[in-house]
Amino acid sequence: MMQCLMRHKLQNSGTPLINARSIVLDVPSAAAYVESLELCLQSRSLREGQKIHQHLLKNSSISSNSLVLEKLTRLYIECKKVEYARHVFDRIPDPSVIVWNLMIRAFAWNGPAEFAIDFYRRMLVFGIIPTKFTFPFVLKACASLDAVEDGEKIHGHAIRIGLDSDAYVSTALVDLYAKCGNLVEAQKVFRMMCFRDVVAWNAMIAGFSLHGLCDETIKLAMEMQRTGIKPNSSTVVSILPTIAQARALSLGKTFHGYCVRHNFDPDVVVGTGLLDMYGKCGCLTYARMIFDLMRVRNEVTWSAMIGAYIISDCVKEALELFDHVLLTAAGSPSPATFCCALRACSKLITMNRGRRIHCQIFKLGYLPDIMLGNTIISMYAKCGALVDAIVFFHEMNHKDVVSWGAMISGCVQNGNAQKALDFFRYMNQHSMNPDVATMLGILPACAQLAALQHGACAHGHAIVSGFVNDCSICNALIDMYSKCGMLSTARRIFDKMHKWDIVSWNSMIAGYGIHGLGSEALSLFHELRAAGLKLDDLTFISVLTACSHSGLVEEGKHWFDAMVQEYGIVPRIDHYICMVDLLGRAGNLEEAKSFIEKMPFEPNIHIWNALLAGCRIHRNVELGEEASGRIQTLGPESTGNFVLLSNIYSSAGRWQDAASVRIRQSNWGFKKRPGCSWVEINGKVHAFIGGDRSHPKSETIHKKLEELLVQMKKLGYNAVPSFVLQDVEEEEKEHILLYHSEKLAIAFAITSLGPNQPILVTKNLRVCGDCHDAIKYIALITKREITVRDTSRFHHFKDGVCNCRDFW
């Protein structure tokens, strides 16, 4: 090999071939190695370079020559073999600053980025003074790692040796601070620069765009032009994502026109950016037009187009385009493209298709990609296959905070909040610090279980981590505390927020509503109107629900009409359900029926179910039968419809009719959901099912209930037998009622907590009338505040009364 390379070199220089033979027969000199390696560098000939490396290892007199080893290091770097370069570099006796810079650049660009910082530190230990080329490379590594503290120390070093004012170094500092979110420091460095070229401006613009500051980004771009610097294609590519995030379609079209005028649009990166912007702005036609006109498409382009279809809910078209990537010369799908396809499967809830894509990912060897792994977890969870999600999660070799967050959110989505809390605990045991997204997953789990202690701990973590400035975290905390019975704490969080969005107001209004505080909900609603925020359809659902739970019929009617006439919001089926519920609860059953008949579209099962629930409260058998008949015609979706009608018959003493409903329920294949209640004691959630004796302290619980029953009877309590759906003796009915799940949970809490400590119980069904009466007596006897959260609302029992005033 050495002979061939030397002969080629000498032939090109005009030297007779005979002279070349005489040279190569001798041991090659260091200069010969350097020249040969330079030829490999020029042609990127890795294989030939490795042969020279093998030859070099046999030549002990040259194998430690710095010039030769530096040249070999550079060859490996240029050929993207950074680890090979590192091994050679470590053998160089006295590396020059140029080679140090090359190694730092290689790790900064190719990773692992932390090695670039390590090499910078080693460089200082060896007494090598960094140059103006060193700092941009190591600062890029800090930016990619979000290592702002390391970046600040490096900035300080650059100041000490007088290189901070260099244009390249200053631009790298701007990029670092901007990407790490310290926009104030980024602007400070930027404004102090003596000369700002287009690269410096782009770094500043990209920083603001990255953090979604659309207005500030556009202002910078305009200022850039006023200073005489013309935006280039990179400027446009930096700005388009923030336009997409703000859904500023008209502004996006303006930039599209700029790209056309300056002939940027044929560029694949610009074209992909425009396509992505139109897709995220919901303008699918324009996105597809750009896609079709692009002469060159890369993997990102295909992913962006598939993503645009998903955003516009054209999920089938997204999967068709993905199939086109698989079946045509578009190339093998990238991990990003697979992620888009999996998200489409999640939206369509097509688990079989998702499984096939999972298999394709496995065959292509992409499974180690952590982003793909996280998307697979989400796909299985959103398709209801929680077990598959858990199995895959445990099979993953590498997990990041997103993996844990996806698993926690998946458990909550599938109604397994307890499992979500378990995963959160395991996550902490693995020293994995939760991020904002994970907190947004765990807080709803705490709310679902009314696990106040877990929720308070999560709140503490959010404070320590600095997440409480995030509006979405505060909204989740408001919801969690409201559903854990701590409405005053929820209001304190709301009042301390620096900025409210419509979700903040809706959450707080809904919180008042489920606690039966309709007047307070309406008062806050009036504050919202005065604040000038745009009300949405969910605002009125919260208001109507609050009116329903507090019996504010006239107010509910008024705001339903105002929603349409004053705010131009077209009522959805959920608004109509709220109104039927409002009228039905108040006993205005005929008016509720008339309201249904005047609806602009056909009523669904949920509408008739709301009327049936009102019939159950007010024992209107005739109208209940009619509502139930409509439900049977449409096809019942759950056991709830059968149970309500059966309850109506049972309360009227029509046992044969009640039995007939239960038989019909069985024939339809529906099973009655057992009543289940939860209570949190010392951070552990305990679950109880009616009549169940499986709890370790079951004997103590039953004994306590029997003691309470004696005391309750002395105060005038009588069991309400109509709430037992079986046709059995009165004494047996009393026994059945005594061991309802909420009573078991309350008795356990009484035996587990100190005197006067409040009790919060959560139930998966509506609390029955007998339990509601009994808990009033228990609260009076034990001198405790007892709160029960059922599927309808909160019941706060104190001194023998409930805040619902028996209206629920």
Side-chain angles (χ1 to χ4, degrees):
M1 175 64 197
M2 286 292 294
Q3 292 176 357
C4 292
L5 284 169
M6 288 300 301
R7 185 177 292 113
H8 173 75
K9 180 74 175 176
L10 293 173
Q11 280 178 329
N12 288 344
S13 64
T15 308
L17 189 60
I18 185 77
N19 291 342
R21 275 186 69 84
S22 65
I23 291 172
V24 297
L25 288 173
D26 299 328
V27 176
S29 65
Y33 277 109
V34 169
E35 289 183 41
S36 300
L37 288 168
E38 181 60 35
L39 287 173
C40 294
L41 259 172
Q42 291 172 11
S43 60
R44 299 290 191 276
S45 301
L46 174 64
R47 187 177 178 185
E48 306 305 331
Q50 287 176 316
K51 290 179 180 178
I52 295 174
H53 189 181
Q54 290 174 351
H55 196 280
L56 176 64
L57 292 173
K58 297 173 185 177
N59 190 346
S60 58
S61 63
I62 305 295
S63 60
S64 60
N65 184 279
S66 291
L67 289 174
V68 175
L69 294 176
E70 286 188 5
K71 187 68 72 172
L72 184 58
T73 300
R74 186 181 165 194
L75 171 65
Y76 282 134
I77 289 171
E78 293 297 324
C79 294
K80 309 293 185 189
K81 298 293 181 181
V82 184
E83 273 303 309
Y84 292 176
R86 184 183 182 185
H87 289 305
V88 176
F89 176 87
D90 288 340
R91 292 180 52 211
I92 302 174
D94 187 23
S96 66
V97 68
I98 295 172
V99 185
W100 280 102
N101 287 346
L102 288 172
M103 286 301 302
I104 293 170
R105 185 191 68 176
F107 284 118
W109 282 95
N110 302 303
E114 50 265 33
F115 284 14
I117 301 173
D118 289 341
F119 262 79
Y120 169 78
R121 290 171 180 153
R122 282 177 58 190
M123 180 182 185
L124 300 183
V125 170
F126 280 95
I128 306 295
I129 299 173
T131 68
K132 66 179 182 179
F133 300 108
T134 311
F135 290 107
F137 302 145
V138 72
L139 288 169
K140 175 180 172 55
C142 293
S144 65
L145 293 169
D146 202 22
V148 68
E149 291 182 6
D150 287 321
E152 287 170 346
K153 291 175 183 176
I154 294 166
H155 185 183
H157 188 202
I159 293 171
R160 288 194 298 275
I161 61 176
L163 288 175
D164 59 309
S165 59
D166 179 83
Y168 293 110
V169 177
S170 296
T171 301
L173 286 166
V174 169
D175 182 67
L176 163 76
Y177 287 124
K179 285 180 178 174
C180 292
N182 192 345
L183 296 174
V184 173
E185 192 63 29
Q187 283 184 300
K188 182 180 175 182
V189 174
F190 182 73
R191 298 301 175 191
M192 290 177 65
M193 291 176 68
C194 300
F195 171 72
R196 295 191 285 268
D197 60 7
V198 68
V199 180
W201 280 99
N202 286 352
M204 197 69 238
I205 288 168
F208 276 92
S209 178
L210 179 67
H211 297 284
L213 302 169
C214 186
D215 292 342
E216 291 83 348
T217 303
I218 301 304
K219 286 176 184 176
L220 268 174
M222 293 171 67
E223 183 186 348
M224 174 185 183
Q225 292 182 83
R226 285 196 298 270
T227 61
I229 304 294
K230 185 178 178 182
N232 59 15
S233 60
S234 296
T235 316
V236 175
V237 170
S238 297
I239 295 172
L240 286 172
T242 191
I243 294 174
Q245 188 176 343
R247 296 177 68 87
L249 181 59
S250 60
L251 187 59
K253 288 181 178 179
T254 301
F255 274 87
H256 186 183
Y258 182 88
C259 291
V260 173
R261 289 194 300 274
H262 292 82
N263 201 33
F264 292 162
D265 53 319
D267 182 278
V268 66
V269 180
V270 174
T272 301
L274 287 167
L275 184 165
D276 183 65
M277 181 272 295
Y278 279 122
K280 288 176 179 174
C281 288
C283 196
L284 188 60
T285 305
Y286 276 33
R288 183 68 204 219
M289 181 179 67
I290 291 173
F291 179 81
D292 291 335
L293 289 172
M294 290 177 71
R295 292 188 292 272
V296 178
R297 304 180 186 121
N298 58 21
E299 294 169 347
V300 182
T301 311
W302 287 93
S303 299
M305 192 63 242
I306 294 170
Y309 275 122
I310 294 170
I311 290 168
S312 298
D313 286 328
C314 298
V315 187
K316 290 182 180 178
E317 291 84 347
L319 288 173
E320 286 171 5
L321 193 62
F322 174 73
D323 290 337
H324 186 73
V325 179
L326 288 174
L327 299 173
T328 67
S332 178
S334 67
T337 312
F338 273 115
C339 284
C340 289
L342 288 167
R343 283 197 292 273
C345 294
S346 299
K347 279 206 166 190
L348 275 179
I349 316 179
T350 54
M351 192 170 65
N352 289 337
R353 183 65 195 275
R355 286 190 196 281
R356 291 202 298 274
I357 293 173
H358 184 179
C359 291
Q360 289 168 329
I361 292 166
F362 175 78
K363 289 175 183 176
L364 289 171
Y366 285 161
L367 276 185
D369 187 289
I370 200 161
M371 179 179 68
L372 257 179
N374 297 338
T375 310
I376 290 170
I377 292 173
S378 294
M379 182 273 295
Y380 279 128
K382 287 175 181 175
C383 290
L386 185 59
V387 173
D388 294 273
I390 292 171
V391 169
F392 180 76
F393 175 82
H394 289 306
E395 288 175 351
M396 289 175 69
N397 293 324
H398 302 289
K399 304 177 184 75
D400 61 6
V401 67
V402 179
S403 315
W404 289 93
M407 204 63 253
I408 290 167
S409 297
C411 290
V412 175
Q413 289 160 12
N414 285 276
N416 198 333
Q418 183 60 58
K419 195 73 177 175
L421 292 180
D422 292 340
F423 270 103
F424 187 67
R425 186 172 64 253
Y426 300 150
M427 181 181 185
N428 288 323
Q429 289 171 358
H430 283 79
S431 301
M432 189 75 69
N433 290 322
D435 60 359
V436 169
T438 309
M439 298 306 297
L440 291 174
I442 198 61
L443 287 170
C446 299
Q448 200 175 103
L449 289 173
L452 179 59
Q453 287 179 264
H454 285 284
C457 288
H459 186 185
H461 178 84
I463 293 170
V464 171
S465 302
F467 296 158
V468 287
N469 293 324
D470 188 296
C471 188
S472 58
I473 289 290
C474 289
N475 295 342
L477 286 167
I478 290 168
D479 181 68
M480 184 272 292
Y481 278 116
S482 295
K483 289 177 179 174
C484 287
M486 301 292 289
L487 195 58
S488 58
T489 306
R491 183 60 196 251
R492 279 199 300 273
I493 292 169
F494 178 83
D495 290 337
K496 288 181 179 179
M497 290 175 68
H498 301 297
K499 184 180 180 182
W500 299 274
D501 60 12
I502 193 62
V503 179
S504 316
W505 291 90
N506 291 351
S507 299
M508 198 65 242
I509 293 169
Y512 280 123
I514 60 174
H515 283 268
L517 301 172
S519 298
E520 289 82 348
L522 287 176
S523 176
L524 190 64
F525 174 63
H526 293 313
E527 288 183 40
L528 166 59
R529 292 172 64 222
L533 264 73
K534 185 179 180 181
L535 310 187
D536 62 13
D537 57 339
L538 294 177
T539 308
F540 286 95
I541 287 176
S542 298
V543 169
L544 293 173
T545 302
C547 291
S548 179
H549 287 310
S550 300
L552 303 174
V553 178
E554 294 306 316
E555 290 86 344
K557 289 180 182 179
H558 169 77
W559 289 114
F560 181 83
D561 293 336
M563 173 180 69
V564 180
Q565 295 167 8
E566 293 181 31
Y567 297 96
I569 296 173
V570 178
R572 292 192 285 112
I573 191 70
D574 295 320
H575 297 99
Y576 285 97
I577 292 170
C578 286
M579 284 303 295
V580 174
D581 185 66
L582 168 72
L583 295 169
R585 284 178 190 273
N588 302 347
L589 296 173
E590 289 300 326
E591 186 179 354
K593 181 188 174 186
S594 176
F595 182 85
I596 293 172
E597 291 169 348
K598 292 175 182 176
M599 283 172 55
F601 41 77
E602 284 296 315
N604 64 9
I605 288 173
H606 303 292
I607 288 285
W608 290 111
N609 193 61
L611 180 61
L612 184 59
C615 295
R616 164 66 182 88
I617 295 169
H618 299 285
R619 302 185 181 184
N620 190 322
V621 178
E622 185 179 348
L623 189 54
E625 287 178 321
E626 183 181 343
S628 179
R630 297 296 187 101
I631 291 168
Q632 305 307 318
T633 302
L634 292 169
E637 293 183 342
S638 67
T639 61
N641 315 308
F642 294 103
V643 171
L644 283 170
L645 184 60
S646 179
N647 286 353
I648 291 172
Y649 285 135
S650 297
S651 62
R654 292 170 56 174
W655 303 111
Q656 192 169 354
D657 290 329
S660 175
V661 171
R662 290 197 296 274
I663 291 169
R664 202 183 323 149
Q665 172 186 331
S666 178
N667 292 338
W668 277 81
F670 290 106
K671 292 183 179 179
K672 183 180 182 297
R673 186 169 49 152
C676 184
S677 297
W678 296 267
V679 63
E680 183 187 36
I681 305 293
N682 299 324
K684 184 177 180 181
V685 178
H686 298 260
F688 298 87
I689 295 174
D692 186 20
R693 286 183 172 269
S694 62
H695 194 277
K697 292 193 175 181
S698 181
E699 188 176 337
T700 305
I701 293 167
H702 282 241
K703 185 179 178 183
K704 173 55 69 175
L705 280 175
E706 288 162 8
E707 291 173 3
L708 287 169
L709 180 61
V710 173
Q711 294 174 279
M712 287 156 57
K713 284 185 172 181
K714 288 179 181 178
L715 294 175
Y717 164 77
N718 288 304
V720 186
S722 63
F723 289 101
V724 177
L725 304 184
Q726 298 98 318
D727 186 12
V728 295
E729 296 296 327
E730 295 296 310
E731 186 177 340
E732 189 175 347
K733 287 182 180 180
E734 182 181 273
H735 182 80
I736 292 169
L737 290 168
L738 184 62
Y739 302 117
H740 274 194
S741 65
E742 54 266 60
K743 290 184 182 123
L744 293 171
I746 289 169
F748 174 66
I750 291 170
T751 60
S752 303
L753 297 172
N756 304 321
Q757 279 189 264
I759 295 170
L760 170 63
V761 170
T762 304
K763 188 176 181 183
N764 69 331
L765 303 174
R766 182 178 178 272
V767 64
C768 82
D770 177 77
C771 286
H772 194 267
D773 286 346
I775 298 168
K776 291 179 190 175
Y777 286 102
I778 294 172
L780 184 62
I781 292 164
T782 60
K783 296 181 173 58
R784 292 176 188 266
E785 291 183 30
I786 300 175
T787 301
V788 177
R789 189 188 94 191
D790 66 7
T791 53
S792 175
R793 56 164 292 159
F794 273 85
H795 299 267
H796 296 278
F797 299 90
K798 185 179 180 181
D799 298 329
V801 295
C802 177
N803 77 319
C804 76
R805 304 185 305 279
D806 297 337
F807 181 85
W808 83 98

